[in-house]
Amino acid sequence: MGAGAGSRRGQLFLRSLLCLLLAGPPARHPARGQLRYAVPEELEHGAFVANLGEDLGLDVSTLSARRFRIVSRAGARQHLEVNLENGILFVNERIDREEVCEAGGTCLLHLQLLVESPLELYRVEVEVLDINDHAPTFPWQEYVLEVAESAVLGARFPLESAQDPDVGTNSVHTYRLSPNGFFSLEVQTRSDASKFAELVLERALDREQQRVHRVLLTALDGGIPERSGTAHILVTVLDANDNVPAFDQPSYGVSLPEDAPAGTLVIQLNATDLDEGPNGEIEYSFSGHAPPRVRELFHIEPRSGQVLLKGRLDYERASLHELYVQAKDRGPSAVAVHCRVLVHLLDVNDNAPEVTLTSVSTPVLEDAPPGTVIAVISVLDRDSGDNGRVSCEVGPNVPFELRSSFRNYYTLVTTQALDREVVPEYNVSITARDMGSPALLTRSTLTVPVSDVNDNAPRFLQPSYSVYVMENNAPGASICSVSALDPDCQQNAYLSYSIADGHIHGMPVGTYVSINSDSGHMYALRSLDYEQIRSFQIQVQAQDAGFPPLSANVTVHIFVLDQNDNAPVIVSPMPRNGSVATELVPRSARPGYLVGTVSAVDADAGLNSRLSYQLLQATDFTLFSVAPDTGELRTLRSFLEQDASRQQLVVQVRDGGQPALSATVSLLLSVVETMPQTLSDFSEFSLPPEVSSSSPLTLYLLVSLGSISFTFLLAILILTAIRCRGERRSRQGDSCSPPRCHCCPGSRPSSDGLKTSNLTAQPPAGTTAATCLDVPAGGPPGYCYKVCLGPESAQSDFMFLKPCSPPRNNEKDPGKRSRPDQHLQVSREAKQPNTDWLPPSTQRPALKRYQ
């Protein structure tokens, strides 16, 4: 079995080689872009057909980049393919000529080859050569032929024809009959060069001697090697029927339009028989060698002889049909007679043009120059003559036109510059119309999308943005959003937002705000403080992702709105060493006497910094009042004998914000007969300018300085406590020894007098200096105040006051006099006073720098 298959492949190869040699070299027409080759059928996959790269003069290395390919209609089988690596045209799948070309004659495969950059179109015709791959076959393996014994010598009996799908010499070439003593064989040729056999009676038959004769009919083709097919013929000898039917003429001709409907009468046949009765009744039928296609298209009425159309005709498939009809009477030993009917088809314009669109460069760039090839269009009309001539055109109002390269091939090119932002896509209507009557047309729409080019820069929706942000905002909160548009599309319209480099008060702008690169939302990275920064501006850039990228800038103005986040800070009076502010008031003061001025500042602005003063608590509300605008503390009436010598006041300072913030200061006013010359707590005070700094370095310095000061203060307190303890031991109960305490009942204070005094705890032991001041008349009798200063500095802020006389009966704990009811808390990081609202001129001396 394997040897037989190998022998068959070898024979096919020899026949293919012989066909190629006979076909000769391919005809090359590079000027017209058309080549022609010949290839035998039944070649295996990968078989060489031609070297297209060499024959067309193309650079093989660029075939892949230029998209060299075969263009075929949708659904068509791809029998041939091109190898892009070497430009060789090879067999992609087995080609069966009998399947590809049903009709006989030359079998051509029409190929359209496209190559881009620049666009070139080539037409290639590949002739499929027939090989002898089919043996002749008969419709029946055994055929019965009835012959009357009265048949005369030389009578002819047509036999069943053999069918061979091959063409030319490979089709049925001749017939042979097995040796016998009664019949011979003659081979006849039809108009289409096909062969059929007729059995000729050579010797008279005698039914009584031999009723049946068996012969073998062999059909042979003309291929190499020769192939054959056989059929057994059984000749039955019948009794004599004297007359046979006869047609009016041996051959008929008729014309029929190809669009004739089924049931159309093709021809009325007529045969006569001189016999009577059943021997004269004629029946019509197709002869045995009528092709199967004829039997599918036509039908014969057995009794009437009418030939009717049964199937659908197609002029483009076959323009001529040859019918073989036989007539036979119904008598015994009937002999059939034959005639031929030639049916010529008339072409009708029944095929609309077929438009094949082959996109080459879609989408097309919007900056493509005029004349750019968009697509290659092929038009085919299967009709003939004027019915097959086609004209092609495009619809109006589109920037495209058709250019004819050669017959039935067009290229669609641009006629002007395109703009995707104006028209992103074109629907080009292509109309193909034939020259038939009536004309048939086909419309096909080609969608040509326009590819974007980055020719438009982003554009912000506003020329600038103004953003108002309330101070003390949460870090990371969104403050605004910017948006830009880009009329381009895809990546050319994808925008990314960024903030241009810059500085705000010496700090990079990136430490203040950030922006989402995709959405344009801006976020505050820190909590803004109106008192430090009131407005700033940044540059936001929107950049697309095109190449090269385009960008646009916009200015964003950010205004910080004030919030009432700073409580008033009382700068005067300033309590010393944690005690309450103390003031001496002469008992002789008249109504309206200015005791002092409470001064405060507020770092906010506007209404948030407008301050008002009020007396919150007082020992006697009828004795003192506070000016709500200036903070001046004045007496409302003269002092009476029953008025307490110590007046406790609490003054509240409130700003005008919503909600309002406030601060309070506690004042201890001592009513004295004579004003001593002592330092008043209503001293001039001003904030150091350094405290307004909010930088981290300043904060670190303040923390370090505070730690050092606290450590130093703690050491002094410990040392003072040790000395006080030693002093108590040395006195052993003596509260005021002569060397250390001098009571001066008759002494007077100096004419200047002291404005304030600090009343604190008991003095420490070991004090080396003491100063006694006599309380003026009208005060508590027998009091002597001693000011004890440490030896390190005469300017020490630690001042200790102690009565020199024993405590009064109703004063069990003299130390309680020095306890403040409420301490004033002042922030270490006090902010600079706001200049939007300044205190009255009467308070401005209190804002001078504290010495």
Side-chain angles (χ1 to χ4, degrees):
M1 186 69 181
S7 174
R8 183 176 183 272
R9 285 195 296 268
Q11 293 171 359
L12 288 176
F13 173 76
L14 291 176
R15 289 197 298 272
S16 302
L17 180 60
L18 179 60
C19 292
L20 287 176
L21 293 176
L22 293 175
R28 304 173 184 173
H29 305 283
R32 299 195 301 271
Q34 181 171 346
L35 299 174
R36 182 163 182 170
Y37 301 96
V39 58
E41 63 172 333
E42 302 295 341
L43 291 180
E44 299 293 335
H45 172 76
F48 173 85
V49 177
N51 192 334
L52 292 179
E54 179 180 345
D55 295 343
L56 296 177
L58 301 176
D59 186 0
V60 177
S61 62
T62 63
L63 293 182
S64 180
R66 297 181 64 185
R67 298 182 61 196
F68 185 55
R69 63 192 183 278
I70 297 176
V71 179
S72 60
R73 290 197 302 269
R77 298 179 62 178
Q78 196 77 16
H79 295 287
L80 302 175
E81 191 56 80
V82 178
N83 189 331
L84 297 182
E85 296 182 357
N86 50 27
I88 291 178
L89 181 67
F90 64 91
V91 176
N92 186 44
E93 61 179 23
R94 186 181 64 85
I95 305 174
D96 187 352
R97 194 204 65 81
E98 290 74 29
E99 179 183 351
V100 174
C101 303
E102 295 182 4
T106 305
C107 182
L108 295 177
L109 294 179
H110 298 279
L111 305 180
Q112 286 80 38
L113 304 177
L114 278 181
V115 62
E116 301 179 8
S117 303
L119 178 67
E120 295 181 15
L121 179 65
Y122 300 95
R123 293 189 63 182
V124 175
E125 291 182 351
V126 179
E127 180 181 357
V128 181
L129 302 178
D130 183 51
I131 64 174
N132 193 22
D133 55 342
H134 295 88
T137 58
F138 287 93
W140 299 280
Q141 293 298 318
E142 188 174 76
Y143 177 68
V144 177
L145 178 63
E146 294 179 347
V147 179
E149 63 177 341
S150 59
V152 298
L153 298 180
R156 298 175 178 271
F157 306 97
L159 301 178
E160 193 75 28
S161 296
Q163 304 295 327
D164 193 333
D166 295 327
V167 296
T169 59
N170 295 326
S171 64
V172 176
H173 180 63
T174 186
Y175 292 89
R176 291 177 186 174
L177 191 65
S178 61
N180 65 91
F182 291 91
F183 299 97
S184 64
L185 192 68
E186 287 190 6
V187 179
Q188 303 293 335
T189 303
R190 298 189 183 97
S191 59
D192 61 353
S194 61
K195 304 294 182 64
F196 68 94
E198 289 182 342
L199 199 62
V200 181
L201 182 61
E202 297 291 344
R203 180 180 172 185
L205 300 175
D206 188 351
R207 182 176 179 276
E208 288 70 26
Q209 291 183 2
Q210 187 175 352
R211 303 180 59 179
V212 176
H213 299 270
R214 297 180 182 273
V215 294
L216 180 64
L217 181 63
T218 303
L220 300 99
D221 61 22
I224 302 175
E226 187 179 65
R227 292 177 177 270
S228 63
T230 60
H232 293 277
I233 300 177
L234 183 63
V235 180
T236 303
V237 181
L238 302 177
D239 284 336
N241 185 4
D242 296 9
N243 297 289
V244 295
F247 282 99
D248 295 340
Q249 57 190 59
S251 180
Y252 297 87
V254 64
S255 296
L256 190 66
E258 64 172 328
D259 61 348
T264 301
L265 177 62
V266 178
I267 190 173
Q268 174 70 59
L269 297 177
N270 184 36
T272 59
D273 193 324
L274 299 178
D275 294 327
E276 294 181 356
N279 292 335
E281 296 179 3
I282 301 174
E283 290 185 351
Y284 301 89
S285 63
F286 285 112
S287 61
H289 54 274
R293 178 64 177 168
V294 171
R295 299 176 186 270
E296 295 175 0
L297 296 177
F298 301 95
H299 168 69
I300 297 179
E301 287 292 335
R303 302 304 298 271
S304 65
Q306 291 181 345
V307 179
L308 303 176
L309 182 62
K310 183 173 67 172
R312 183 175 180 179
L313 302 176
D314 189 354
Y315 177 87
E316 288 70 37
R317 186 171 182 179
S319 61
L320 175 66
H321 295 281
E322 191 172 1
L323 284 63
Y324 289 89
V325 182
Q326 67 179 10
K328 186 171 61 172
D329 59 30
R330 302 180 65 184
S333 304
V335 177
V337 294
H338 302 268
C339 73
R340 182 177 66 170
V341 179
L342 298 178
V343 181
H344 299 272
L345 299 186
L346 301 178
D347 185 34
V348 176
N349 191 21
D350 58 343
N351 291 284
E354 298 178 6
V355 179
T356 301
L357 303 176
T358 304
S359 298
V360 175
S361 180
T362 55
V364 59
L365 293 174
E366 61 177 325
D367 61 350
T372 301
V373 177
I374 305 302
V376 175
I377 301 168
S378 63
V379 181
L380 175 64
D381 195 318
R382 298 183 182 276
D383 294 323
S384 60
D386 289 341
N387 296 333
R389 295 176 56 191
V390 180
S391 63
C392 200
E393 60 184 10
V394 296
N397 303 323
V398 292
F400 304 98
E401 67 177 4
L402 288 175
R403 294 179 182 176
S404 178
S405 53
F406 43 84
R407 186 173 181 269
N408 292 340
Y409 279 87
Y410 299 88
T411 55
L412 183 67
V413 299
T414 59
T415 58
Q416 63 187 39
L418 307 178
D419 190 349
R420 192 208 64 83
E421 288 71 37
V422 177
V423 181
E425 184 179 85
Y426 292 92
N427 292 319
V428 183
S429 177
I430 301 172
T431 303
R433 179 182 288 104
D434 60 25
M435 303 299 178
S437 179
L440 299 179
L441 59 86
T442 299
R443 285 192 177 91
S444 182
T445 301
L446 174 63
T447 301
V448 181
V450 181
S451 179
D452 186 49
V453 174
N454 193 24
D455 55 350
N456 292 279
R459 185 178 69 256
F460 282 93
L461 300 182
Q462 300 180 21
S464 64
Y465 292 83
S466 296
V467 181
Y468 298 89
V469 182
M470 187 68 68
E471 67 170 333
N472 300 321
N473 58 291
S478 176
I479 58 175
C480 71
S481 176
V482 297
S483 180
L485 297 178
D486 194 320
D488 294 323
C489 68
Q490 296 179 355
Q491 68 174 13
N492 295 330
Y494 177 76
L495 301 181
S496 60
Y497 300 89
S498 62
I499 298 177
D501 294 335
H503 291 81
I504 301 175
H505 289 192
M507 297 293 291
V509 67
T511 62
Y512 280 82
V513 292
S514 66
I515 190 169
N516 187 307
S517 61
D518 295 328
S519 62
H521 291 286
M522 298 180 62
Y523 305 91
L525 297 181
R526 61 170 63 185
S527 181
L528 301 177
D529 192 345
Y530 175 84
E531 289 71 38
Q532 295 183 2
I533 180 171
R534 299 192 177 186
S535 67
F536 58 91
Q537 66 182 23
I538 59 176
Q539 292 288 329
V540 176
Q541 181 186 72
Q543 179 174 288
D544 59 30
F547 183 80
L550 302 178
S551 61
N553 294 336
V554 69
T555 301
V556 180
H557 302 274
I558 299 178
F559 299 93
V560 183
L561 301 179
D562 184 44
Q563 191 180 37
N564 192 24
D565 57 340
N566 293 283
V569 177
I570 297 176
V571 297
S572 176
M574 288 292 293
R576 300 176 182 273
N577 303 324
S579 63
V580 297
T582 305
E583 179 65 22
L584 301 179
V585 182
R587 185 173 291 275
S588 61
R590 302 181 62 83
Y593 174 78
L594 178 62
V595 179
T597 301
V598 177
S599 298
V601 294
D602 194 317
D604 293 322
L607 291 176
N608 295 331
S609 63
R610 181 158 305 194
L611 304 180
S612 61
Y613 303 83
Q614 65 176 349
L615 192 60
L616 190 63
Q617 296 179 10
T619 305
D620 188 351
F621 280 97
T622 63
L623 190 56
F624 298 98
S625 68
V626 176
D629 296 330
T630 62
E632 293 179 346
L633 181 62
R634 296 180 181 272
T635 57
L636 293 176
R637 58 178 175 82
S638 300
F639 288 95
L640 303 177
E641 290 296 332
Q642 62 269 24
D643 291 333
S645 61
R646 287 178 176 269
Q647 297 288 331
Q648 182 76 33
L649 304 179
V650 177
V651 178
Q652 183 187 57
V653 183
R654 180 187 296 269
D655 59 25
Q658 292 294 333
L661 301 178
S662 62
T664 58
V665 60
S666 297
L667 301 176
L668 181 62
L669 301 182
S670 298
V671 182
V672 296
E673 296 295 335
T674 303
M675 295 291 291
Q677 293 194 7
T678 180
L679 183 62
S680 172
D681 283 342
F682 288 95
S683 59
E684 295 181 351
F685 176 80
S686 64
L687 291 176
E690 294 79 10
V691 301
S692 64
S693 173
S694 62
S695 64
L697 180 59
T698 305
L699 179 61
Y700 299 154
L701 293 176
L702 290 175
V703 172
S704 302
L705 182 60
S707 301
I708 297 173
S709 302
F710 177 76
T711 304
F712 180 70
L713 179 61
L714 184 61
I716 292 179
L717 290 176
I718 294 174
L719 180 61
T720 304
I722 294 174
R723 289 183 178 178
C724 289
R725 187 174 182 180
E727 180 68 18
R728 289 193 191 97
R729 290 177 179 177
S730 62
R731 288 201 302 262
Q732 293 184 359
D734 186 9
S735 61
C736 185
S737 58
R740 297 182 182 275
C741 180
H742 301 278
C743 295
C744 308
S747 63
R748 291 177 175 269
S750 63
S751 60
D752 297 336
L754 296 176
K755 297 295 182 182
T756 62
S757 61
N758 291 335
L759 184 61
T760 62
Q762 296 295 331
T767 306
T768 58
T771 303
C772 294
L773 299 177
D774 186 21
V775 179
Y783 272 75
C784 178
Y785 295 90
K786 179 175 67 175
V787 179
C788 302
L789 303 177
E792 291 83 358
S793 172
Q795 302 292 332
S796 174
D797 286 342
F798 293 89
M799 302 178 67
F800 302 93
L801 302 180
K802 177 182 178 183
C804 292
S805 61
R808 300 170 67 178
N809 294 333
N810 59 349
E811 294 178 358
K812 298 181 180 181
D813 188 3
K816 291 182 180 180
R817 291 178 175 268
S818 61
R819 289 198 196 104
D821 293 337
Q822 186 174 359
H823 295 280
L824 178 65
Q825 302 295 332
V826 181
S827 174
R828 291 184 180 180
E829 296 185 3
K831 300 177 181 178
Q832 289 290 351
N834 193 290
T835 58
D836 290 348
W837 179 83
L838 294 176
S841 58
T842 56
Q843 295 184 4
R844 291 180 183 175
L847 300 179
K848 294 181 181 179
R849 180 174 180 82
Y850 176 68
Q851 301 293 336

